[in-house]
Amino acid sequence: MHKNESAENYLETILILGKSHPVVRSVDIAEELGFKKPSVSVAMKNLREKGHITVTKEGFIYLTESGKEIAEMIYERHQVLSSWLSSLGVDPKVAADDACRMEHVISQESFEAIKKHYIIIE
């Protein structure tokens, strides 16, 4: 997995978990992604060092402004691409899996064109 893709996936997961959990902890992320806690701890250290998250002494993880910006961008891409592919007749599970890969590599220009076209049709 590409480093930026991995970081983006973690940030997106923190955002999503934050919508359904009162607080987000490394164990929640590990459980959601199916990773071992030590791997998640290393990733959280890297995200903290890059200024994308803060971690309280209790282990609660919060997105910083930069982390939230990245997470929201990736989440929007995932939602739009997944919906778009599903509307084209792609099985929803396949659409979600493909959107997860596409969301990290698609250019902003292409994404905006898909979003504009898809929203007009929808």
Side-chain angles (χ1 to χ4, degrees), residues 6-104:
S6 177
E8 289 169 351
N9 279 336
Y10 278 112
L11 293 170
E12 181 184 24
T13 300
I14 294 166
L15 178 74
I16 293 167
L17 287 173
K19 294 174 188 284
S20 61
H21 291 62
V23 293
V24 178
R25 303 164 300 147
S26 288
V27 67
D28 301 319
I29 298 166
E31 186 176 292
E32 179 70 19
L33 296 175
F35 295 163
K36 297 204 181 306
K37 193 172 177 308
S39 299
V40 173
S41 294
V42 169
M44 294 305 102
K45 178 179 182 260
N46 291 335
L47 291 173
R48 192 176 65 247
E49 288 173 352
K50 289 185 168 111
H52 296 314
I53 63 168
T54 58
V55 182
T56 67
K57 62 182 178 180
E58 296 86 7
F60 303 153
I61 300 166
Y62 297 96
L63 295 169
T64 63
E65 281 304 311
S66 67
K68 188 174 182 183
E69 186 177 310
I70 294 166
E72 287 176 344
M73 175 194 69
I74 294 299
Y75 185 66
E76 178 190 28
R77 287 178 175 202
H78 183 87
Q79 295 296 103
V80 170
L81 292 169
S82 182
S83 294
W84 175 61
L85 291 169
S86 291
S87 76
L88 296 173
V90 177
D91 176 87
K93 170 75 172 117
V94 174
D97 290 346
D98 287 347
C100 194
R101 288 187 294 278
M102 293 167 63
E103 67 197 23
H104 303 286

Side-chain angles (χ1 to χ4, degrees), residues 98-115:
D98 287 347
C100 194
R101 288 187 294 278
M102 293 167 63
E103 67 197 23
H104 303 286
V105 296
I106 191 169
S107 71
Q108 189 63 30
E109 180 181 356
S110 293
F111 176 70
E112 291 299 327
I114 289 170
K115 187 167 83 169

